[in-house]
Amino acid sequence: MISFQQLAARLTPPLLRPKRGPIGVDLSLTRLHMVQFAKSSSGNVGLHAKMSLEYPDSREALLAKPRQLKKLVDRGLSEGGFEGRTVVLGMPSDAFRTMSVNYRPQANVSDDQVVLRLMEERLDGAIDDYVIDYIPVRAEARDAEKLAIVAVSPRQRVTSFLDTMRAAGLAVDALEIGPVAIRRLTTALPTTTNGMILIINTGVSRSYLTMLSGRRLLMDKPIDFSQKRLLAALCRTLDISESSALNMVERAGLHPASMGLPRDHREGETGIYNTLLEILKPEFLRLVEETDRAFMYAAAQARGGGDAVIYLLGSLARWDGADRILSSMTRLPVTTM
């Protein structure tokens, strides 16, 4: 049996068929995410397929069982309607770290060699035990000090991850890391400013701040802020379970309830909102302190100011009203991505 879509694809001349790109694969803490885009003959790029599947067990357990991982991958490819098995693979955030490195160019020595020598001094063990890549950030003059964002991962961790994904039947075309992917996504948005852009990527157990100046990546750092910390504060104060706390936030949100509700319901929901905000405010203040430090660092590195905006993504982005709370506390525009 053949579908109308498959029949149309067979009858379409090759030059007019959309060109499918590789499949983007991200193994988050709890789910396998897959996405594939296609470019038409006119040059327009559109979504071809997407799929998100929950793990049957923890991510660590799944990566230790290639056959089980392959079953999950095959299910995603089949149900999502993906084409091919070539992927761009996102490295798990705990598999690498990034650091800022200042260096001066040297005569007859490439920047690659200079950065590599600096990293030899900073890392434990032999340099060959690591996979290293970097992104140049600033170079105001040929002989001026330069800045680079360097990504470092233990070689064994990278090769093991690649072997596991190949055992799952995937052909890995490239590896990607979070801050670079976030930069690419953010700069593709039509509302992107040329000023300072802070992306707050909130996770279940950890969060990251990624700072851009226009299209330049200035900083990527982990911070001690997470959904678990917020829920723990609610559990301690209200003496409820984590699931009950999460349910309360999802029901009431972090802003006054809709004006379309009856008055008695609206007043009750507003009371819950006020209680949640009062309990969570100290945690949000810690986040605001981190954002202030990030903008101060960016202003020094970028040698200037300009507009400043914040994008929110991850776990906290799904908490209704979190962007409004952060906007009121930072006095900056905050947009949920």
mmCIF file with all atom_site columns, all heavy atoms in Angstrom, residues 136-157:
data_model
loop_
_atom_site.group_PDB
_atom_site.id
_atom_site.type_symbol
_atom_site.label_atom_id
_atom_site.label_alt_id
_atom_site.label_comp_id
_atom_site.label_asym_id
_atom_site.label_entity_id
_atom_site.label_seq_id
_atom_site.pdbx_PDB_ins_code
_atom_site.Cartn_x
_atom_site.Cartn_y
_atom_site.Cartn_z
_atom_site.occupancy
_atom_site.B_iso_or_equiv
_atom_site.pdbx_formal_charge
_atom_site.auth_seq_id
_atom_site.auth_comp_id
_atom_site.auth_asym_id
_atom_site.auth_atom_id
_atom_site.pdbx_PDB_model_num
ATOM 1   N N   . PRO A 1 136 ? 36.027 32.149 18.261 1.00 0.00 ? 136 PRO A N   1
ATOM 2   C CA  . PRO A 1 136 ? 36.567 33.499 18.484 1.00 0.00 ? 136 PRO A CA  1
ATOM 3   C C   . PRO A 1 136 ? 35.436 34.464 18.804 1.00 0.00 ? 136 PRO A C   1
ATOM 4   O O   . PRO A 1 136 ? 34.374 34.427 18.193 1.00 0.00 ? 136 PRO A O   1
ATOM 5   C CB  . PRO A 1 136 ? 37.227 33.843 17.145 1.00 0.00 ? 136 PRO A CB  1
ATOM 6   C CG  . PRO A 1 136 ? 37.389 32.537 16.427 1.00 0.00 ? 136 PRO A CG  1
ATOM 7   C CD  . PRO A 1 136 ? 36.259 31.674 16.891 1.00 0.00 ? 136 PRO A CD  1
ATOM 8   N N   . VAL A 1 137 ? 35.686 35.358 19.770 1.00 0.00 ? 137 VAL A N   1
ATOM 9   C CA  . VAL A 1 137 ? 34.646 36.302 20.186 1.00 0.00 ? 137 VAL A CA  1
ATOM 10  C C   . VAL A 1 137 ? 34.998 37.720 19.790 1.00 0.00 ? 137 VAL A C   1
ATOM 11  O O   . VAL A 1 137 ? 34.203 38.428 19.190 1.00 0.00 ? 137 VAL A O   1
ATOM 12  C CB  . VAL A 1 137 ? 34.428 36.217 21.713 1.00 0.00 ? 137 VAL A CB  1
ATOM 13  C CG1 . VAL A 1 137 ? 33.457 37.302 22.174 1.00 0.00 ? 137 VAL A CG1 1
ATOM 14  C CG2 . VAL A 1 137 ? 33.899 34.852 22.084 1.00 0.00 ? 137 VAL A CG2 1
ATOM 15  N N   . ARG A 1 138 ? 36.213 38.143 20.150 1.00 0.00 ? 138 ARG A N   1
ATOM 16  C CA  . ARG A 1 138 ? 36.543 39.551 19.936 1.00 0.00 ? 138 ARG A CA  1
ATOM 17  C C   . ARG A 1 138 ? 37.961 39.689 19.396 1.00 0.00 ? 138 ARG A C   1
ATOM 18  O O   . ARG A 1 138 ? 38.883 39.039 19.853 1.00 0.00 ? 138 ARG A O   1
ATOM 19  C CB  . ARG A 1 138 ? 36.441 40.327 21.255 1.00 0.00 ? 138 ARG A CB  1
ATOM 20  C CG  . ARG A 1 138 ? 36.620 41.833 21.108 1.00 0.00 ? 138 ARG A CG  1
ATOM 21  C CD  . ARG A 1 138 ? 36.717 42.501 22.478 1.00 0.00 ? 138 ARG A CD  1
ATOM 22  N NE  . ARG A 1 138 ? 37.940 42.145 23.170 1.00 0.00 ? 138 ARG A NE  1
ATOM 23  C CZ  . ARG A 1 138 ? 37.995 41.653 24.396 1.00 0.00 ? 138 ARG A CZ  1
ATOM 24  N NH1 . ARG A 1 138 ? 36.884 41.453 25.058 1.00 0.00 ? 138 ARG A NH1 1
ATOM 25  N NH2 . ARG A 1 138 ? 39.145 41.354 24.959 1.00 0.00 ? 138 ARG A NH2 1
ATOM 26  N N   . ALA A 1 139 ? 38.120 40.572 18.411 1.00 0.00 ? 139 ALA A N   1
ATOM 27  C CA  . ALA A 1 139 ? 39.440 40.915 17.895 1.00 0.00 ? 139 ALA A CA  1
ATOM 28  C C   . ALA A 1 139 ? 39.359 42.332 17.347 1.00 0.00 ? 139 ALA A C   1
ATOM 29  O O   . ALA A 1 139 ? 39.008 42.555 16.201 1.00 0.00 ? 139 ALA A O   1
ATOM 30  C CB  . ALA A 1 139 ? 39.860 39.943 16.800 1.00 0.00 ? 139 ALA A CB  1
ATOM 31  N N   . GLU A 1 140 ? 39.662 43.312 18.184 1.00 0.00 ? 140 GLU A N   1
ATOM 32  C CA  . GLU A 1 140 ? 39.480 44.703 17.794 1.00 0.00 ? 140 GLU A CA  1
ATOM 33  C C   . GLU A 1 140 ? 40.635 45.223 16.941 1.00 0.00 ? 140 GLU A C   1
ATOM 34  O O   . GLU A 1 140 ? 40.487 46.159 16.182 1.00 0.00 ? 140 GLU A O   1
ATOM 35  C CB  . GLU A 1 140 ? 39.331 45.572 19.051 1.00 0.00 ? 140 GLU A CB  1
ATOM 36  C CG  . GLU A 1 140 ? 38.077 45.227 19.853 1.00 0.00 ? 140 GLU A CG  1
ATOM 37  C CD  . GLU A 1 140 ? 37.953 46.067 21.095 1.00 0.00 ? 140 GLU A CD  1
ATOM 38  O OE1 . GLU A 1 140 ? 38.930 46.760 21.426 1.00 0.00 ? 140 GLU A OE1 1
ATOM 39  O OE2 . GLU A 1 140 ? 36.893 46.035 21.733 1.00 0.00 ? 140 GLU A OE2 1
ATOM 40  N N   . ALA A 1 141 ? 41.791 44.637 17.072 1.00 0.00 ? 141 ALA A N   1
ATOM 41  C CA  . ALA A 1 141 ? 42.944 45.016 16.260 1.00 0.00 ? 141 ALA A CA  1
ATOM 42  C C   . ALA A 1 141 ? 43.830 43.791 16.117 1.00 0.00 ? 141 ALA A C   1
ATOM 43  O O   . ALA A 1 141 ? 43.748 42.838 16.892 1.00 0.00 ? 141 ALA A O   1
ATOM 44  C CB  . ALA A 1 141 ? 43.726 46.155 16.920 1.00 0.00 ? 141 ALA A CB  1
ATOM 45  N N   . ARG A 1 142 ? 44.701 43.815 15.120 1.00 0.00 ? 142 ARG A N   1
ATOM 46  C CA  . ARG A 1 142 ? 45.501 42.635 14.828 1.00 0.00 ? 142 ARG A CA  1
ATOM 47  C C   . ARG A 1 142 ? 46.364 42.208 16.009 1.00 0.00 ? 142 ARG A C   1
ATOM 48  O O   . ARG A 1 142 ? 46.544 41.027 16.276 1.00 0.00 ? 142 ARG A O   1
ATOM 49  C CB  . ARG A 1 142 ? 46.376 42.901 13.592 1.00 0.00 ? 142 ARG A CB  1
ATOM 50  C CG  . ARG A 1 142 ? 47.274 41.745 13.214 1.00 0.00 ? 142 ARG A CG  1
ATOM 51  C CD  . ARG A 1 142 ? 47.913 41.951 11.870 1.00 0.00 ? 142 ARG A CD  1
ATOM 52  N NE  . ARG A 1 142 ? 46.905 41.994 10.819 1.00 0.00 ? 142 ARG A NE  1
ATOM 53  C CZ  . ARG A 1 142 ? 47.204 42.141 9.528  1.00 0.00 ? 142 ARG A CZ  1
ATOM 54  N NH1 . ARG A 1 142 ? 48.456 42.291 9.149  1.00 0.00 ? 142 ARG A NH1 1
ATOM 55  N NH2 . ARG A 1 142 ? 46.250 42.162 8.625  1.00 0.00 ? 142 ARG A NH2 1
ATOM 56  N N   . ASP A 1 143 ? 46.930 43.177 16.736 1.00 0.00 ? 143 ASP A N   1
ATOM 57  C CA  . ASP A 1 143 ? 47.828 42.839 17.840 1.00 0.00 ? 143 ASP A CA  1
ATOM 58  C C   . ASP A 1 143 ? 47.146 42.959 19.208 1.00 0.00 ? 143 ASP A C   1
ATOM 59  O O   . ASP A 1 143 ? 47.803 42.861 20.245 1.00 0.00 ? 143 ASP A O   1
ATOM 60  C CB  . ASP A 1 143 ? 49.061 43.742 17.812 1.00 0.00 ? 143 ASP A CB  1
ATOM 61  C CG  . ASP A 1 143 ? 48.695 45.221 17.906 1.00 0.00 ? 143 ASP A CG  1
ATOM 62  O OD1 . ASP A 1 143 ? 47.505 45.534 17.729 1.00 0.00 ? 143 ASP A OD1 1
ATOM 63  O OD2 . ASP A 1 143 ? 49.596 46.040 18.145 1.00 0.00 ? 143 ASP A OD2 1
ATOM 64  N N   . ALA A 1 144 ? 45.816 43.183 19.228 1.00 0.00 ? 144 ALA A N   1
ATOM 65  C CA  . ALA A 1 144 ? 45.112 43.359 20.497 1.00 0.00 ? 144 ALA A CA  1
ATOM 66  C C   . ALA A 1 144 ? 44.798 42.006 21.120 1.00 0.00 ? 144 ALA A C   1
ATOM 67  O O   . ALA A 1 144 ? 44.831 40.961 20.463 1.00 0.00 ? 144 ALA A O   1
ATOM 68  C CB  . ALA A 1 144 ? 43.821 44.140 20.279 1.00 0.00 ? 144 ALA A CB  1
ATOM 69  N N   . GLU A 1 145 ? 44.489 42.037 22.421 1.00 0.00 ? 145 GLU A N   1
ATOM 70  C CA  . GLU A 1 145 ? 44.099 40.814 23.102 1.00 0.00 ? 145 GLU A CA  1
ATOM 71  C C   . GLU A 1 145 ? 42.785 40.297 22.533 1.00 0.00 ? 145 GLU A C   1
ATOM 72  O O   . GLU A 1 145 ? 41.868 41.058 22.249 1.00 0.00 ? 145 GLU A O   1
ATOM 73  C CB  . GLU A 1 145 ? 43.949 41.081 24.600 1.00 0.00 ? 145 GLU A CB  1
ATOM 74  C CG  . GLU A 1 145 ? 43.707 39.824 25.416 1.00 0.00 ? 145 GLU A CG  1
ATOM 75  C CD  . GLU A 1 145 ? 43.630 40.111 26.901 1.00 0.00 ? 145 GLU A CD  1
ATOM 76  O OE1 . GLU A 1 145 ? 42.632 40.731 27.314 1.00 0.00 ? 145 GLU A OE1 1
ATOM 77  O OE2 . GLU A 1 145 ? 44.576 39.741 27.626 1.00 0.00 ? 145 GLU A OE2 1
ATOM 78  N N   . LYS A 1 146 ? 42.701 38.991 22.379 1.00 0.00 ? 146 LYS A N   1
ATOM 79  C CA  . LYS A 1 146 ? 41.508 38.363 21.840 1.00 0.00 ? 146 LYS A CA  1
ATOM 80  C C   . LYS A 1 146 ? 40.814 37.534 22.920 1.00 0.00 ? 146 LYS A C   1
ATOM 81  O O   . LYS A 1 146 ? 41.415 37.189 23.935 1.00 0.00 ? 146 LYS A O   1
ATOM 82  C CB  . LYS A 1 146 ? 41.855 37.475 20.642 1.00 0.00 ? 146 LYS A CB  1
ATOM 83  C CG  . LYS A 1 146 ? 42.414 38.222 19.443 1.00 0.00 ? 146 LYS A CG  1
ATOM 84  C CD  . LYS A 1 146 ? 42.633 37.278 18.276 1.00 0.00 ? 146 LYS A CD  1
ATOM 85  C CE  . LYS A 1 146 ? 43.141 38.021 17.050 1.00 0.00 ? 146 LYS A CE  1
ATOM 86  N NZ  . LYS A 1 146 ? 43.315 37.108 15.883 1.00 0.00 ? 146 LYS A NZ  1
ATOM 87  N N   . LEU A 1 147 ? 39.555 37.236 22.649 1.00 0.00 ? 147 LEU A N   1
ATOM 88  C CA  . LEU A 1 147 ? 38.755 36.424 23.561 1.00 0.00 ? 147 LEU A CA  1
ATOM 89  C C   . LEU A 1 147 ? 38.149 35.276 22.775 1.00 0.00 ? 147 LEU A C   1
ATOM 90  O O   . LEU A 1 147 ? 37.693 35.460 21.639 1.00 0.00 ? 147 LEU A O   1
ATOM 91  C CB  . LEU A 1 147 ? 37.642 37.267 24.195 1.00 0.00 ? 147 LEU A CB  1
ATOM 92  C CG  . LEU A 1 147 ? 36.608 36.521 25.048 1.00 0.00 ? 147 LEU A CG  1
ATOM 93  C CD1 . LEU A 1 147 ? 37.260 35.974 26.318 1.00 0.00 ? 147 LEU A CD1 1
ATOM 94  C CD2 . LEU A 1 147 ? 35.453 37.449 25.416 1.00 0.00 ? 147 LEU A CD2 1
ATOM 95  N N   . ALA A 1 148 ? 38.152 34.089 23.366 1.00 0.00 ? 148 ALA A N   1
ATOM 96  C CA  . ALA A 1 148 ? 37.532 32.923 22.741 1.00 0.00 ? 148 ALA A CA  1
ATOM 97  C C   . ALA A 1 148 ? 36.729 32.156 23.776 1.00 0.00 ? 148 ALA A C   1
ATOM 98  O O   . ALA A 1 148 ? 37.081 32.133 24.955 1.00 0.00 ? 148 ALA A O   1
ATOM 99  C CB  . ALA A 1 148 ? 38.590 32.013 22.127 1.00 0.00 ? 148 ALA A CB  1
ATOM 100 N N   . ILE A 1 149 ? 35.631 31.564 23.322 1.00 0.00 ? 149 ILE A N   1
ATOM 101 C CA  . ILE A 1 149 ? 34.868 30.627 24.139 1.00 0.00 ? 149 ILE A CA  1
ATOM 102 C C   . ILE A 1 149 ? 35.330 29.225 23.754 1.00 0.00 ? 149 ILE A C   1
ATOM 103 O O   . ILE A 1 149 ? 35.204 28.815 22.596 1.00 0.00 ? 149 ILE A O   1
ATOM 104 C CB  . ILE A 1 149 ? 33.353 30.757 23.903 1.00 0.00 ? 149 ILE A CB  1
ATOM 105 C CG1 . ILE A 1 149 ? 32.878 32.192 24.173 1.00 0.00 ? 149 ILE A CG1 1
ATOM 106 C CG2 . ILE A 1 149 ? 32.597 29.763 24.772 1.00 0.00 ? 149 ILE A CG2 1
ATOM 107 C CD1 . ILE A 1 149 ? 33.020 32.623 25.610 1.00 0.00 ? 149 ILE A CD1 1
ATOM 108 N N   . VAL A 1 150 ? 35.891 28.505 24.705 1.00 0.00 ? 150 VAL A N   1
ATOM 109 C CA  . VAL A 1 150 ? 36.465 27.188 24.447 1.00 0.00 ? 150 VAL A CA  1
ATOM 110 C C   . VAL A 1 150 ? 35.578 26.109 25.044 1.00 0.00 ? 150 VAL A C   1
ATOM 111 O O   . VAL A 1 150 ? 35.179 26.197 26.209 1.00 0.00 ? 150 VAL A O   1
ATOM 112 C CB  . VAL A 1 150 ? 37.887 27.071 25.025 1.00 0.00 ? 150 VAL A CB  1
ATOM 113 C CG1 . VAL A 1 150 ? 38.502 25.712 24.675 1.00 0.00 ? 150 VAL A CG1 1
ATOM 114 C CG2 . VAL A 1 150 ? 38.770 28.201 24.500 1.00 0.00 ? 150 VAL A CG2 1
ATOM 115 N N   . ALA A 1 151 ? 35.257 25.103 24.241 1.00 0.00 ? 151 ALA A N   1
ATOM 116 C CA  . ALA A 1 151 ? 34.484 23.948 24.700 1.00 0.00 ? 151 ALA A CA  1
ATOM 117 C C   . ALA A 1 151 ? 35.433 22.769 24.862 1.00 0.00 ? 151 ALA A C   1
ATOM 118 O O   . ALA A 1 151 ? 36.235 22.475 23.971 1.00 0.00 ? 151 ALA A O   1
ATOM 119 C CB  . ALA A 1 151 ? 33.383 23.610 23.704 1.00 0.00 ? 151 ALA A CB  1
ATOM 120 N N   . VAL A 1 152 ? 35.329 22.093 26.003 1.00 0.00 ? 152 VAL A N   1
ATOM 121 C CA  . VAL A 1 152 ? 36.228 20.990 26.335 1.00 0.00 ? 152 VAL A CA  1
ATOM 122 C C   . VAL A 1 152 ? 35.410 19.787 26.784 1.00 0.00 ? 152 VAL A C   1
ATOM 123 O O   . VAL A 1 152 ? 34.483 19.917 27.588 1.00 0.00 ? 152 VAL A O   1
ATOM 124 C CB  . VAL A 1 152 ? 37.211 21.387 27.459 1.00 0.00 ? 152 VAL A CB  1
ATOM 125 C CG1 . VAL A 1 152 ? 38.156 20.235 27.761 1.00 0.00 ? 152 VAL A CG1 1
ATOM 126 C CG2 . VAL A 1 152 ? 37.985 22.635 27.087 1.00 0.00 ? 152 VAL A CG2 1
ATOM 127 N N   . SER A 1 153 ? 35.782 18.611 26.273 1.00 0.00 ? 153 SER A N   1
ATOM 128 C CA  . SER A 1 153 ? 35.120 17.379 26.688 1.00 0.00 ? 153 SER A CA  1
ATOM 129 C C   . SER A 1 153 ? 36.150 16.258 26.736 1.00 0.00 ? 153 SER A C   1
ATOM 130 O O   . SER A 1 153 ? 37.039 16.198 25.886 1.00 0.00 ? 153 SER A O   1
ATOM 131 C CB  . SER A 1 153 ? 34.008 17.008 25.698 1.00 0.00 ? 153 SER A CB  1
ATOM 132 O OG  . SER A 1 153 ? 33.313 15.852 26.120 1.00 0.00 ? 153 SER A OG  1
ATOM 133 N N   . PRO A 1 154 ? 36.077 15.371 27.728 1.00 0.00 ? 154 PRO A N   1
ATOM 134 C CA  . PRO A 1 154 ? 36.984 14.223 27.742 1.00 0.00 ? 154 PRO A CA  1
ATOM 135 C C   . PRO A 1 154 ? 36.817 13.387 26.476 1.00 0.00 ? 154 PRO A C   1
ATOM 136 O O   . PRO A 1 154 ? 35.686 13.066 26.081 1.00 0.00 ? 154 PRO A O   1
ATOM 137 C CB  . PRO A 1 154 ? 36.547 13.445 28.984 1.00 0.00 ? 154 PRO A CB  1
ATOM 138 C CG  . PRO A 1 154 ? 35.866 14.455 29.849 1.00 0.00 ? 154 PRO A CG  1
ATOM 139 C CD  . PRO A 1 154 ? 35.188 15.401 28.906 1.00 0.00 ? 154 PRO A CD  1
ATOM 140 N N   . ARG A 1 155 ? 37.931 13.054 25.830 1.00 0.00 ? 155 ARG A N   1
ATOM 141 C CA  . ARG A 1 155 ? 37.872 12.310 24.569 1.00 0.00 ? 155 ARG A CA  1
ATOM 142 C C   . ARG A 1 155 ? 37.102 10.995 24.725 1.00 0.00 ? 155 ARG A C   1
ATOM 143 O O   . ARG A 1 155 ? 36.311 10.622 23.855 1.00 0.00 ? 155 ARG A O   1
ATOM 144 C CB  . ARG A 1 155 ? 39.287 12.044 24.065 1.00 0.00 ? 155 ARG A CB  1
ATOM 145 C CG  . ARG A 1 155 ? 39.341 11.293 22.742 1.00 0.00 ? 155 ARG A CG  1
ATOM 146 C CD  . ARG A 1 155 ? 40.770 11.107 22.282 1.00 0.00 ? 155 ARG A CD  1
ATOM 147 N NE  . ARG A 1 155 ? 41.369 12.388 21.944 1.00 0.00 ? 155 ARG A NE  1
ATOM 148 C CZ  . ARG A 1 155 ? 41.258 12.981 20.745 1.00 0.00 ? 155 ARG A CZ  1
ATOM 149 N NH1 . ARG A 1 155 ? 40.558 12.389 19.797 1.00 0.00 ? 155 ARG A NH1 1
ATOM 150 N NH2 . ARG A 1 155 ? 41.825 14.139 20.511 1.00 0.00 ? 155 ARG A NH2 1
ATOM 151 N N   . GLN A 1 156 ? 37.333 10.288 25.832 1.00 0.00 ? 156 GLN A N   1
ATOM 152 C CA  . GLN A 1 156 ? 36.659 9.008  26.041 1.00 0.00 ? 156 GLN A CA  1
ATOM 153 C C   . GLN A 1 156 ? 35.150 9.181  26.102 1.00 0.00 ? 156 GLN A C   1
ATOM 154 O O   . GLN A 1 156 ? 34.397 8.344  25.600 1.00 0.00 ? 156 GLN A O   1
ATOM 155 C CB  . GLN A 1 156 ? 37.177 8.355  27.330 1.00 0.00 ? 156 GLN A CB  1
ATOM 156 C CG  . GLN A 1 156 ? 36.537 7.016  27.655 1.00 0.00 ? 156 GLN A CG  1
ATOM 157 C CD  . GLN A 1 156 ? 36.737 5.984  26.561 1.00 0.00 ? 156 GLN A CD  1
ATOM 158 O OE1 . GLN A 1 156 ? 37.805 5.921  25.949 1.00 0.00 ? 156 GLN A OE1 1
ATOM 159 N NE2 . GLN A 1 156 ? 35.706 5.180  26.294 1.00 0.00 ? 156 GLN A NE2 1
ATOM 160 N N   . ARG A 1 157 ? 34.690 10.293 26.705 1.00 0.00 ? 157 ARG A N   1
ATOM 161 C CA  . ARG A 1 157 ? 33.246 10.549 26.801 1.00 0.00 ? 157 ARG A CA  1
ATOM 162 C C   . ARG A 1 157 ? 32.652 10.776 25.409 1.00 0.00 ? 157 ARG A C   1
ATOM 163 O O   . ARG A 1 157 ? 31.554 10.294 25.096 1.00 0.00 ? 157 ARG A O   1
ATOM 164 C CB  . ARG A 1 157 ? 33.019 11.775 27.688 1.00 0.00 ? 157 ARG A CB  1
ATOM 165 C CG  . ARG A 1 157 ? 31.545 12.123 27.920 1.00 0.00 ? 157 ARG A CG  1
ATOM 166 C CD  . ARG A 1 157 ? 30.899 11.178 28.897 1.00 0.00 ? 157 ARG A CD  1
ATOM 167 N NE  . ARG A 1 157 ? 29.474 11.420 29.039 1.00 0.00 ? 157 ARG A NE  1
ATOM 168 C CZ  . ARG A 1 157 ? 28.934 12.268 29.906 1.00 0.00 ? 157 ARG A CZ  1
ATOM 169 N NH1 . ARG A 1 157 ? 29.717 12.953 30.736 1.00 0.00 ? 157 ARG A NH1 1
ATOM 170 N NH2 . ARG A 1 157 ? 27.632 12.427 29.993 1.00 0.00 ? 157 ARG A NH2 1
#
